[in-house]
Amino acid sequence: MREIVTLQLGHLSNYLATHFWNAQESYFTYGDQGKALVDHNVHWRPGLGQDGTETFLPRTVVYDLKGGFGSLRRINPLYDGASTSSAAADSLWSGQPAVHKQEAVSPSAYQQSLDADTEPQRPTASTVRYWSDFSRVYLHPRSAVQLYDFELGSSIRPFERFAMGAELFGSLDKEHDIVDRDWRPFVEECDAMQGIQVLTTLDDAWGGFALSYLEALRDEYPKSCIWVWGLQAPLLDASRQQRQLRLANTAQSLGQSCSMASIVVPLTIPDTQTSTTLAIDRSSPWHVSGLLSTVMESAALPSRLAAGPGQRPTSLSDMAECLNTSGRQTLVGAKMGVGARALEPDADTLDVGSFFPGCGNAPGGHGRIFGQLSTCRGTVDDKVPAEDASGREPRHRVGDPIIRSYTSSLLFPLPSSFPPVFPDASADEAAIPVRAVLSTDSSMSARVKMLQSQTSRSVTLEDREALSSGLMDIADAYQDGWSSGSDEGDDDL
């Protein structure tokens, strides 16, 4: 079945995941709309609701802090059964109970329109308070896991340090085996899981929580392909101390997760607005996550496309092998272009794969490419993979860059829940062409070394040696020690 199970960690990650699931929901076809280009069984799970009706819900586990879910209810209309808790309480207490409830968060106007089955108006940055305010899909009751140890946005005890996340996971895992309780039920439903997709922030305590979770997943699934999409929030008016803390968190997250995951893709909004085709409100997580979801959803599109006649489906493992040519190059850069001109070979792209937000120009440039995977959405005709006379994909010589290009006529969807970050798209336009590029190249070595030099003194003495060693091992994997060459192969869909 090629299933992918998603793990969502943190508030900004849930914003991005909401855009992702809204996009997947838009791919469904009904009636005479024809066959869908996307295999929905990859990311969606069939089930039965409380009244026995069939359901189709995301294969995902969602973690957030207290107060992070907004108006989202754990029990949605598909599973809204009568509560049996009162009977158990009555058997223990014969007196009159006193119930104290915190005032519930009211649904957004957008959610109220969806519930009333009326045409919703596009949300605005001021009306989106939580990621649940613009969600178009239901979640299974077991998907939502709220962590009550910390509160979202707390100024007294902020969830901001890498070590906090690791400690929180450890304390929760001692009480209940988290993987066994929250994760395993979704994996056991899969027939042939192709991989795991992790969405997490790198620059706060969720980075430490994610690393501990990755360690537990690796123990349970040592051979599974795990993709980590690591987000970083814009720094805006952060103080120098806060900037240094967040950069140190990012360094610790990357330094350790690259040895656990198959692929790690850091994502952030560049400091300078390098493209006139974007209109980003950096203070709005709805805007920021909308842009980052565009490259994330587009880059991984081949793993969920339905294979055509004579085509072999592309898996997350196939894509990882293209990028990680040496077996040690798990840290991947990401770029994107939006609009019709983005599909042109010489079109400018926006670098969203940096891990130096707010720290000036990081070293890099265009180094020697080891592996590159591009996805172009909006071509006139879908193309089939290039094969040799034997029906197999062409082989590459050792040391040559591996460059694969996937093309699809399936545009990136712009539902009413998506922010107006692309001025080139008219208000009534439902989709837009996108070109997403993931790559590993020698410039990554200089970037990682700069990260190590800027953060080594920001961590505790006992963590400093492990951090420096881990980052230098990553940097060494991108040294330009191979002879250059070019052998471009197309695996188009």
Side-chain angles (χ1 to χ4, degrees), residues 170-190:
S171 64
L172 295 175
D173 200 47
K174 285 181 181 179
E175 185 176 356
H176 301 284
D177 188 321
I178 292 181
V179 172
D180 190 61
R181 182 194 67 181
D182 302 335
W183 179 264
R184 193 183 306 279
F186 289 91
V187 176
E188 289 179 346
E189 296 175 339
C190 301

Side-chain angles (χ1 to χ4, degrees), residues 213-292:
Y213 217 119
L214 282 174
E215 291 177 346
L217 290 178
R218 268 292 171 236
D219 288 341
E220 293 288 333
Y221 313 101
K223 296 183 179 180
S224 294
C225 183
I226 302 178
W227 279 58
V228 176
W229 302 90
L231 313 181
Q232 301 160 88
L235 294 173
L236 299 176
D237 299 326
S239 65
R240 183 178 182 276
Q241 183 179 5
Q242 290 173 323
R243 290 169 179 256
Q244 196 64 31
L245 172 61
R246 289 172 60 174
L247 197 62
N249 290 335
T250 300
Q252 289 179 284
S253 298
L254 293 178
Q256 300 181 54
S257 62
C258 284
S259 62
M260 299 287 178
S262 306
I263 293 293
V264 179
V265 187
L267 297 175
T268 189
I269 302 293
D271 287 339
T272 57
Q273 195 75 23
T274 57
S275 175
T276 58
T277 61
L278 301 178
I280 301 294
D281 180 357
R282 297 172 186 273
S283 64
S284 169
W286 179 51
H287 274 237
V288 172
S289 59
L291 177 63
L292 298 182

